[in-house]
Each structure stands twice: as C-alpha cells, then as structure tokens.
Amino acid sequence: MSLHEPSLGVVLVPAASAAREPLARAVALAGLRVVETPERATIGLVDLTTPEGSSALNALLATPAGARLALVALVEPREESFSVLESLKPSEVMTAGGQPSELAWRLRRVAERHREHQELMRRQQDLSLLVELTADYAESFDVEALLHDVTRRLAERLGVSRAALVMLDRHGEGARVVAASDAPNLEDVRIDLERYPEVREAARTGKPVIVEDASHHPLLEGVQNEVAARGIQALAALPLHIRGEVRGVLLLRASGGDRRTFAPDEIDFLNTVAHATAVALRNASLLQTVRGQTEREMSARIAAEAKAASLETYHLFFANVREGVAILDDKACVLSLNPAGEAILATPSESAYGRHLVDVTQPLDESVLMELVTAARRGESRSDVDLMVRAPNGRRLTLSFSAAPLEDGRRAIILSFRDVTQARQLADELRHTKDFLERLIDSSVDAIVAADMQGRIILFNKGAEALFGYGAPQALSGMHVNQLYPNGVAQRIMKQLRSPELGGRGRLSVCRQDVVNRLGQLVPVNMTASIVYEGGREVASVGIFTDLRDRMELERKLSDVETRLEESEKNAVIVALAGTAAHELNQPLTSVMGYAELLKRRLKEEDTSYKPVDIIYREAERMAEIVRKIGRITRYETKAYMGSQQIVDLDKASSHDD
C-alpha cells in the first residue's frame, strides 16, 4: 500500500472506437488513466454511438471482470438510445456532442462514488472484524489460540508482514511475546526491550507510536542496522491499558516494500482492537467473564421476548397492517414477523425466528440497516430509510425501513418496512424522462418560454436566452411574461388562445409577432402558443418563438437584388430598342435629307418652294440628331411630360457622364 492512491483505470469500449482519442483526453482530464483490459479497470467508458458499441459491450459484460465494472455510457440523444440503458443501469449517461469537460466531470463522479463505496466496504470489513473479535473474546475458552488468531487476522486485514501481542512485566524490566501472526505455536518468548524502542515509547507515553521510514527514524537509532536487515518499512505500537496501566503493546510492522505508513483510519481501527484486547485480558478468569456475558445476553433476550409476548394484544393489528412488522432483540435477531412481512421477505415467521436481521433481509448494504438498528438501541426513532435487499428467489427489492425502540429502557426493537420497488423504479423513470425532456428543450434552436397563469416565467431555454438577452436564472427568479412583449400584447395573445378561431381553443397557430428583448428593441418573430391543462384546469401557457431577423435581412437583400435585376433588364431593353430604332430611322432620314438638299440646290431662295424645302431639310437634320441621341442611350432616365406622364429624357439617357 503506497502513501498516494493510484488513479483508477478506465477501459474504453469498443477499443477501436473512432472517438478513442477525445474519450482518452476526457479520461485524462478527469485524473484517471486508460487501461487496455477490464481486469485492470474500475470503470467502463462505453461508446454506444458507434455500430460496434453494443456488441463490444455485450462481449465485455460476458466476462467476470467486465460484469463488475461501473459503466459510463455515451449515447445518441434519441429516445430509443435511452431505452437500451434500462437493462444496463449505467452509473452515468451522456449524450453525444457534449464537451470533454462534461464527460470528465461525469467520470470523476463515478470514480468518487467508487472510492466512497470502497471506503464504505473497508469500514464494513473493519466493523465486521471488530464484531467477530468482540464475539470471540466473549465466547472463546482458549485464550492463547484466540490471541494468535487475532494477530493473524489483523496482519491479513492490514496487509502487514507481522502483528504481535507483547505483554510487559509488572515493573517494566522485560517483556514477552504471547502471540504473533507468523508463529501460531509461539509461547511466551522473552524479548529485550532495548531492541524494541517503539514498544518502550508506547509503554512510557501510553499513546500510539507510529514510525514511518523506519530505517531513518530517530526513535530507532541504535537498531537501524537490524531494522534494515529485516527490511522493515513502517511500525505501529498501540498500548493496551489494563486497570489504568499499560500492561501490553499491540505491535505491527510492515516490510518488503508493502507500505510506507499507516493511515489515520487504520490507527483508529487498531486503537479499537487494542482496547477490545485489553478489555478481554483485564480479568484473570476469562471463563467467568464469558459466562457472565452469556448470562447477560440471555437475560436481554428473555426480556426482549417477554416484551414481544406483551404485544400479543396487538397481534390482530400487526396481522392486518399492509406493512411488514418485525420485533427484534438487542442483537438484531428476529423474535416475530407479521404476515405482511412474511410475504414481502418471502420467509415464514418460524424460519425467521432467532435469525439475524441481516440474514433474513439480505441487504446490499448491511451498514445502513445496522445503523438503523443501532439508533433504535440508543432510543432513537428513524423512518423512511430506503435499502435494497435480496429475496430468497434472487429478486431484488427496494424496502423503506423504519425502526424504533419498543419502550424506553427496553432493548427490544420494532422494525417496519414496506415494498417501494415499483414506486422507486417509476420515480427513476420519471427522473430520466424529465432529464431527457429538459435536455431536448434546451437543445432547441427556437426560444421556448412557459409561464404560470399568474404570468411568472417557469421555463426559459437557451434559445430564449439568445433571443431575449436574459439569462435563465434571471428569468426564473420572478420575471413576468409581460416584459417580453410590447404593451398589451401578452393579454391579446391570451385572448386569442382562449378563442376557437386561431387554431382551436387553447392553441394559437403560427403568427407574426414582435417581442421585446433586454435592450428594449423590437424583435420580429414567428410564434405559436398553447395552454397546458390539468384535469380541464388551465395551469400554464407555453410559447415557441422563431427569430425572423436573419430571415428578414435575407429577404431584404433578395428584394434589392431583384430590383437591381429588373432595372438592369429594363435598361437592356431600352438600349436594344434604341439601337434598333436608330438603325431603322437612319436610312429613311438620310434619303429625306439627300433629296431635300438636291431640291434646295435647284431652287433659288426667292422661289416660293425654297422655304418649305429648307424647313424639310432642317427638320430632317433635327430628327437625325434625335436618332443619334437614341443610338447613344445607355440607361433608363425619364422626365415629366404633360402633367403626370413620364417620357424618356434623351439628354440624360444618352449622356456618357455618370
């Protein structure tokens, strides 16, 4: 055992998962380490999002090492994915797409629960060993064999090379080893206390002596060569107080590199063992002590049975209650069990009589049940303590226990219990469903807001945070739904919800609406809403909002593009038409101007026909200039003509200046 506990191992399933690298990073982030075999692992990290995940998991669970692992499942956020988990009962579940920090946090939770469970099991082992030692001290007739057995079990429990019991002489001149874990036939071997400074120090101070790194500790100066030769790493010496004096020392030593120190809880455990050993050795006559103890136990049991017999007047009541009822003596052994208790535990009352409560109920965690009984012994009442037990048919039940003393000053205990297996399973299912729905709502892009019938917001998802600008804690701390709408809009929406015209009573079809964000800005949205009923009574309203700002901006850009396209098409038509008109008019105009000029040359200015021909020529030239302007048209420009009418402005349309 080292001073620092190594990190727990995590096996990745399947081993060749495409997500192995990010999963391994999350394991490292949790302070754990990836191992390749289930035999070296404590946690199984199962990637059920891959096609081969289920088959790899089944293969793992088919092995003894895999079956004992705590499972952390990574699944797709679909309902069918969660249904698969019912039979697996994983310690933690996470949907795909989460952050590595979340997975690391879940892995740390599983690791912490594992360590807590290990610590609880260790404490249970300590308690069981103490109970066994106490019972052995009280009942054994062979003291020497008992002490050897105690040292052997201590050495095995703590993983040390040797545990010994050293008894001191009356005046401290010497000592003798009366029992040792590695020498079952040892009988009163005398030792020189000069070679055992840790024993002398424990005897002198009356306090435990703990030596870390024995080869360099100043207390062992002078015997360090011998310590080094034996490979001793750490020592613990616990004094045995008998009638106010230190009459012995419980000595433990670790060698061979098995540990560097003794933990504080181990010292507490050894102190308790040393105290129990001192009590057992206190009286010269162990036989009389055992007999006296037996007589007291018998008296306590007879008193408990007498008390149980005095409850016969309540037999009819106990026989007809739906809860199981058991009467226990001071040792937690069953004195009576009512019919409901027989049915729940599948054990006849005659079979349960005289058996320890743990044997009858087969709890998965004995310490919780014994703590309940111990509290009742102290005169305290405890109720509604849930504990899983094993029925004789192998079925696991969840029972809710309550315990109380029968009467002040009496040692008998009344224990009641009821089967809450289905209720707890239903509660777990509801909790899982609630968690799933909460994750589903939070993952929605649309804003989802719910309010009670007084208008107080009771649901505000991440989409609502993005749309309105409020954080969920702020919105849920008493914020009114009116703050999300312009004045009077919330009341109008509730009237529409109660009207049968816009989607049916209690429902509002998709409609365009403006809402108000944290900055007081109007935000255009599409919204739909509904009223939540319970037994025909309105209890809440829910609104779902789709932000239209991006869509409206896109529509505006599309409209601008369409306008520019129409303008461009119009200009192209005008230019093409102008080019065609100019081309078609040039030829006849050229002919008209040519003939007009010929006529002018043949006529004299004083002729009456000269002036009309000149007018024809000049107007034809003017028309030619107009045609040239038409030929130069590059864009569509208009001007007013006769009131509200518009005509093409040739000067601007044919100008080359921008």
Side-chain angles (χ1 to χ4, degrees), residues 71-231:
L71 298 181
V72 177
L74 185 66
V75 299
E76 293 290 350
R78 298 192 300 265
E79 185 174 355
E80 58 268 27
S81 301
F82 286 88
S83 63
V84 175
L85 301 177
E86 292 299 324
S87 59
L88 295 179
K89 298 190 181 301
S91 301
E92 283 288 344
V93 178
M94 177 176 167
T95 55
Q99 295 297 319
S101 56
E102 180 185 354
L103 179 55
W105 179 80
R106 294 182 184 277
L107 287 168
R108 279 195 296 271
R109 282 187 60 192
V110 176
E112 289 168 2
R113 289 199 294 268
H114 171 76
R115 292 189 180 99
E116 290 172 357
H117 178 70
Q118 292 296 104
E119 174 66 15
L120 186 61
M121 292 297 293
R122 187 196 60 74
R123 290 181 180 274
Q124 182 62 29
Q125 291 173 358
D126 289 350
L127 180 61
S128 298
L129 182 55
L130 287 173
V131 171
E132 292 173 8
L133 293 179
T134 303
D136 290 345
Y137 282 144
E139 298 173 1
S140 177
F141 293 89
D142 190 345
V143 181
E144 294 178 356
L146 173 60
L147 294 178
H148 280 295
D149 188 58
V150 168
T151 56
R152 177 186 60 78
R153 283 191 281 183
L154 281 178
E156 291 176 353
R157 163 65 186 84
L158 297 175
V160 297
S161 56
R162 192 179 205 225
L165 185 62
V166 180
M167 298 303 296
L168 303 174
D169 292 346
R170 276 287 183 181
H171 302 290
E173 300 89 1
R176 66 189 190 280
V177 180
V178 298
S181 60
D182 54 353
N185 298 320
L186 183 69
E187 293 183 3
D188 288 349
V189 176
R190 301 288 301 181
I191 61 172
D192 183 4
L193 287 179
E194 293 297 324
R195 295 173 52 222
Y196 293 85
E198 69 278 11
V199 175
R200 295 200 316 271
E201 184 68 9
R204 183 185 68 82
T205 62
K207 297 179 180 179
V209 175
I210 309 300
V211 177
E212 300 178 7
D213 194 8
S215 59
H216 299 90
H217 200 283
L219 179 64
L220 302 181
E221 186 177 356
V223 296
Q224 288 176 339
N225 291 337
E226 184 177 352
V227 168
R230 294 184 179 182

Side-chain angles (χ1 to χ4, degrees), residues 446 510-513 524-528 544-548 551:
D446 290 338
V510 177
C511 63
R512 174 73 176 275
Q513 181 60 55
V525 297
N526 272 344
M527 75 166 289
T528 181
I544 302 176
F545 307 85
T546 303
D547 193 342
L548 296 181
R551 185 185 302 177

Side-chain angles (χ1 to χ4, degrees), residues 588-590 592-594 596 614-628:
L589 278 175
T590 302
V592 170
M593 289 177 65
D614 183 56
I615 292 173
I616 291 172
Y617 178 80
R618 281 187 285 110
E619 291 301 317
E621 269 193 336
R622 183 166 167 251
M623 290 178 65
E625 179 61 27
I626 293 173
V627 169
R628 283 194 292 274

Side-chain angles (χ1 to χ4, degrees), residues 578-594:
T580 301
H583 176 73
E584 295 297 330
L585 291 175
N586 268 331
Q587 292 182 358
L589 278 175
T590 302
S591 298
V592 170
M593 289 177 65

Side-chain angles (χ1 to χ4, degrees), residues 132 145 197-198 261 412 458 600:
E132 292 173 8
E198 69 278 11
T261 187
I458 57 177
K600 281 178 65 178

Side-chain angles (χ1 to χ4, degrees), residues 166-392:
V166 180
M167 298 303 296
L168 303 174
D169 292 346
R170 276 287 183 181
H171 302 290
E173 300 89 1
R176 66 189 190 280
V177 180
V178 298
S181 60
D182 54 353
N185 298 320
L186 183 69
E187 293 183 3
D188 288 349
V189 176
R190 301 288 301 181
I191 61 172
D192 183 4
L193 287 179
E194 293 297 324
R195 295 173 52 222
Y196 293 85
E198 69 278 11
V199 175
R200 295 200 316 271
E201 184 68 9
R204 183 185 68 82
T205 62
K207 297 179 180 179
V209 175
I210 309 300
V211 177
E212 300 178 7
D213 194 8
S215 59
H216 299 90
H217 200 283
L219 179 64
L220 302 181
E221 186 177 356
V223 296
Q224 288 176 339
N225 291 337
E226 184 177 352
V227 168
R230 294 184 179 182
I232 299 174
Q233 301 291 333
L235 292 167
L238 293 303
L240 274 64
H241 295 271
I242 301 176
R243 293 194 178 96
E245 298 178 26
V246 178
R247 296 299 309 279
V249 174
L250 181 61
L251 180 62
L252 295 95
R253 70 186 186 196
S255 59
D258 47 3
R259 65 162 68 222
R260 301 293 296 176
T261 187
F262 291 89
D265 54 339
E266 293 175 328
I267 301 302
D268 292 340
F269 170 71
L270 289 172
N271 269 324
T272 304
V273 173
H275 177 71
T277 303
V279 170
L281 296 174
R282 182 171 52 195
N283 296 322
S285 176
L286 182 61
L287 180 60
Q288 284 79 356
T289 302
V290 172
R291 287 176 176 172
Q293 178 67 20
T294 303
E295 290 173 359
R296 285 193 296 273
E297 290 177 357
M298 290 300 294
S299 298
R301 185 174 183 82
I302 291 171
E305 290 178 349
K307 183 61 181 177
S310 68
L311 295 175
E312 283 299 322
T313 54
Y314 301 100
H315 176 76
L316 184 61
F317 170 74
F318 287 153
N320 289 280
V321 295
R322 298 177 61 184
E323 291 190 356
V325 178
I327 307 298
L328 311 177
D329 65 13
D330 186 47
K331 296 299 180 183
C333 294
V334 177
L335 298 176
S336 69
L337 184 66
N338 76 333
E342 293 178 325
I344 293 172
L345 299 177
T347 302
S349 180
E350 296 79 7
S351 175
Y353 178 80
R355 292 171 58 193
H356 195 277
L357 178 63
V358 170
D359 295 333
V360 176
T361 58
Q362 293 290 310
L364 269 64
D365 190 342
E366 297 180 8
S367 61
V368 175
L369 185 58
M370 292 310 299
E371 170 61 25
L372 191 70
V373 173
T374 302
R377 287 175 183 157
R378 296 194 299 263
E380 302 174 8
S381 297
R382 299 285 177 86
S383 60
D384 299 328
V385 177
D386 283 3
L387 186 60
M388 190 172 288
V389 303
R390 287 182 290 263

Side-chain angles (χ1 to χ4, degrees), residues 469-517:
Y470 299 99
Q474 179 183 1
L476 298 175
S477 61
M479 183 173 170
H480 200 278
V481 73
N482 282 345
Q483 295 177 241
L484 306 181
Y485 297 97
N487 289 337
V489 173
Q491 291 79 3
R492 175 170 56 80
I493 290 174
M494 284 306 298
K495 289 181 181 178
Q496 292 173 343
L497 279 170
R498 294 186 174 107
S499 169
E501 299 175 357
L502 299 174
R505 189 172 185 83
R507 299 179 62 86
L508 180 63
S509 300
V510 177
C511 63
R512 174 73 176 275
Q513 181 60 55
D514 286 339
V515 294
V516 181
N517 66 10

